């Protein structure tokens, strides 16, 4: 059905492609969803781990697979404890509620960060916390002088809210997947400590930042007081996130999770998927970043009509690919395409070729489709080969998404 809708929506583009390739008739066409890394699907190994997970009642703290995940993640992030929760939105809300105990406390954050824009203002409507957004600089950072001015404005003042928390996002979603510089994180943390303020890191895509910087995640997390991490994006699990921090912080987070309806029972089935995602993270995310860069360069070289930015990796951009809507992938004469050693892959935001283990992704086709299409003419290497793609225009073209 999607294939029919896609064809109906862009007849002109299909004619253009047919003229260029001269071989569209009879060629199988597949639709690739490039909207977000949240459309990743569990692969065979992940599904098997879920089916075979040893479970218990996690609301009592008795699920062994959840406990294994929490211990593994705590060691990876360099924190005392972690807590498994259903979503990263809940992880962020719990963190804000743990840090800001007084109603009317002030939270400073970027005006385009996910917590401020895409989480329904939960910190206000549920936690009673006053968020004050600052302008995001082009690299997803905040102006330190302005940050310090707002932190100190409420000190000893009967008129202004008292700042208790600064929230950062790494990677920064609305800035094209920018990785926040380590020195910047250190400076923000020093500033916060100077005035008794805490720092929470929205690390929904923290593993992408760690892979891009080539450092252990703990090296990033050491510059904050709490952290969230999502498993259902580039790590490919269907559900789940966690909160990390000191022991007393997590004990309070446990109570708040229950109050927010996030207590789960036999959650080991979900934790098992997260464990597989963590195990494969470094290899998979490196490939994701390479795919996104190659996709941007390849498409830019082909038409230049879609607003794809091929960034210098030194800029710390993990995803230079904006919202592309739906993409058609055909075996035909390509203008530009990306080919992997084991088979074709058209990378978007997440570019894993389907793997025997781990999870399936949006890198071209589903695993079954990929296996079927490999029986055709092998693709050659490089940016031009035996597999092509066309990108359909979208009203959301300028909306950038990240890992």
């Amino acid at each position: 059905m999607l294939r029919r809708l896609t064809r109906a929506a862009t007849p002109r583009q299909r004619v253009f492609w047919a003229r260029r390739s001269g071989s569209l008739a009879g060629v199988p066409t597949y639709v690739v969803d490039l909207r977000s890394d949240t459309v990743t699907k569990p692969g065979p190994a992940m599904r098997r781990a879920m089916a075979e997970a040893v479970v218990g009642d996690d609301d009592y703290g008795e699920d062994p697979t959840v406990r294994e995940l929490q211990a593994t993640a705590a060691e990876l992030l360099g924190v005392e404890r972690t807590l498994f929760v259903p979503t990263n939105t809940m992880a962020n809300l719990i963190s804000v509620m743990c840090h800001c105990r007084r109603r009317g406390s002030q939270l400073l954050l970027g005006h385009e960060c996910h917590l401020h824009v895409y989480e329904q203002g939960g910190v206000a409507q549920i936690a009673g916390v006053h968020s004050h957004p600052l302008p995001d600089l082009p690299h997803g950072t905040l102006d330190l002088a302005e940050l310090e001015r707002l932190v100190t404005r409420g000190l000893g003042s009967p008129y202004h809210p008292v700042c208790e928390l600064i929230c950062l996002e790494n990677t920064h979603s609305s800035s094209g997947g920018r990785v926040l510089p380590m020195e910047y994180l250190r400076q923000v943390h020093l500033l916060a400590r100077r005035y008794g303020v805490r720092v929470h890191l929205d690390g929904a895509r923290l593993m992408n930042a760690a892979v891009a910087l080539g450092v252990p995640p703990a090296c990033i997390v050491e510059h904050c007081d709490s952290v969230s991490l999502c498993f259902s994006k580039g790590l490919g699990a269907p559900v789940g996130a966690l909160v990390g921090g000191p022991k007393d912080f997590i004990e309070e987070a446990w109570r708040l999770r229950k109050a927010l309806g996030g207590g789960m029972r036999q959650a080991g089935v979900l934790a098992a998927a997260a464990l597989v995602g963590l195990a494969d993270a470094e290899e998979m995310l490196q490939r994701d970043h390479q795919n996104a860069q190659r996709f941007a360069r390849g498409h830019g070289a082909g038409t230049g009509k879609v607003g794809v930015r091929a960034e210098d990796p030194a800029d710390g951009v993990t995803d230079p690919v904006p919202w592309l809507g739906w993409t058609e992938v055909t075996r035909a004469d390509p203008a530009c395409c990306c080919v992997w050693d084991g088979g074709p892959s058209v990378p978007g935001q997440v570019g894993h070729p389907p793997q025997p283990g781990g999870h399936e992704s949006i890198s071209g086709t589903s695993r079954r489709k990929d296996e079927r299409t490999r029986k055709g003419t092998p693709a050659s290497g490089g940016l031009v080969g035996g597999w092509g793609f066309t990108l359909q225009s979208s009203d959301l073209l300028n909306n950038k998404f990240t890992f």
Side-chain angles (χ1 to χ4, degrees):
M1 184 179 72
L2 287 175
R3 195 179 306 159
R4 291 198 300 272
L5 290 173
T6 302
R7 289 171 179 166
T10 56
R12 294 182 182 177
Q13 197 160 21
R14 287 188 59 80
V15 170
F16 173 72
W17 176 252
R19 288 175 180 171
R20 291 189 64 193
S21 67
S23 58
L24 185 63
V27 174
T29 299
Y30 303 107
V31 175
V32 182
D33 188 348
L34 297 178
R35 290 172 297 169
S36 173
D37 51 358
T38 58
V39 301
T40 50
K41 298 178 181 178
M46 188 175 284
R47 290 175 184 268
R48 186 164 55 252
M50 295 171 71
E52 298 173 357
V54 180
V55 300
D57 194 319
D58 181 52
D59 208 44
Y60 295 154
E62 296 174 356
D63 190 299
T65 308
V66 171
R67 292 173 68 174
E68 180 186 355
L69 171 63
Q70 291 174 164
T72 300
E75 182 178 357
L76 181 71
L77 301 177
V79 297
E80 289 185 43
R81 299 276 182 90
T82 65
L83 178 67
F84 188 51
V85 298
T87 69
N88 204 72
T89 294
M90 182 180 285
N92 285 335
L93 179 58
I94 287 173
S95 298
V96 172
M97 293 175 73
C98 282
H99 288 303
C100 302
R101 301 295 183 89
R102 294 180 296 182
R103 293 187 66 83
S105 298
Q106 187 179 63
L107 159 66
L108 298 179
L109 71 180
H111 79 293
E112 288 295 335
C113 75
H114 194 281
L115 195 154
H116 182 62
V117 178
Y118 296 108
E119 299 181 15
Q120 285 196 14
V123 297
Q125 65 169 316
I126 298 173
V129 173
H130 170 67
S131 59
H132 185 114
L134 286 75
D136 290 296
L137 299 180
H139 286 73
T141 58
L142 304 175
D143 182 89
L144 293 178
E146 179 65 7
L147 185 63
E148 184 170 18
R149 185 185 74 82
L150 291 173
V151 166
T152 57
R153 186 172 65 173
L155 297 178
S157 169
Y159 302 104
H160 300 291
V162 177
C163 177
E164 294 194 2
L165 184 64
I166 298 169
C167 282
L168 304 176
E169 182 182 345
N170 198 13
T171 61
H172 196 284
S173 175
S174 296
S175 297
R178 299 276 183 175
V179 178
L180 301 185
M182 296 289 285
E183 178 58 21
Y184 167 76
L185 295 174
R186 188 185 71 84
Q187 290 180 13
V188 171
H189 200 203
L190 287 175
L191 186 156
R193 281 185 173 181
R194 192 179 310 139
Y195 299 106
V197 176
R198 290 168 295 277
V199 177
H200 170 67
L201 182 66
D202 177 355
R205 297 172 173 92
L206 173 65
M207 297 303 295
N208 291 86
V211 168
L213 291 172
V215 301
C219 291
I220 299 174
V221 177
E222 69 180 4
H223 300 297
C224 61
D225 300 286
S226 63
V227 63
S228 63
L229 173 66
C230 188
F231 298 115
S232 62
K233 295 182 172 67
L235 299 183
V239 180
L242 59 76
V243 184
K247 179 176 178 292
D248 58 345
F249 176 88
I250 295 302
E251 288 174 351
E252 180 63 19
W254 190 296
R255 289 179 53 81
L256 291 170
R257 181 185 70 172
K258 184 68 174 175
L260 294 172
M264 297 177 283
R265 300 298 178 175
Q266 287 68 42
V269 225
L270 304 176
L275 281 167
V276 173
L278 280 181
D280 294 342
E282 185 173 359
E283 177 186 355
M284 289 294 193
L285 296 181
Q286 283 178 347
R287 192 170 295 161
D288 279 355
H289 297 179
Q290 293 166 1
N291 273 358
Q293 293 288 346
R294 293 175 68 186
F295 188 41
R297 290 194 298 269
H299 181 72
T303 67
K305 292 183 179 179
V306 174
V308 178
R309 299 174 295 115
E311 302 280 355
D312 186 332
D315 287 343
V317 180
T318 58
D319 176 28
V321 186
W323 192 296
L324 298 176
W326 293 95
T327 300
E328 283 188 355
V329 183
T330 66
R331 249 194 76 225
D333 278 341
C336 4
C337 71
C338 295
V339 181
W340 292 101
D341 293 338
S345 168
V346 177
Q349 180 178 6
V350 176
H352 312 322
Q355 299 293 309
H359 60 276
E360 296 173 356
S361 70
I362 59 175
S363 61
T365 64
S366 69
R367 179 174 174 76
R368 283 182 298 174
K369 288 179 181 176
D370 185 69
E371 288 172 346
R372 183 170 67 239
T373 55
R374 285 185 193 179
K375 296 177 182 178
T377 305
S380 60
L383 289 175
V384 177
W387 295 79
F389 61 83
T390 60
L391 299 179
Q392 298 179 9
S393 61
S394 168
D395 292 334
L396 300 173
L397 189 60
N398 294 321
N399 292 340
K400 298 178 176 61
F401 56 94
T402 65
F403 288 100

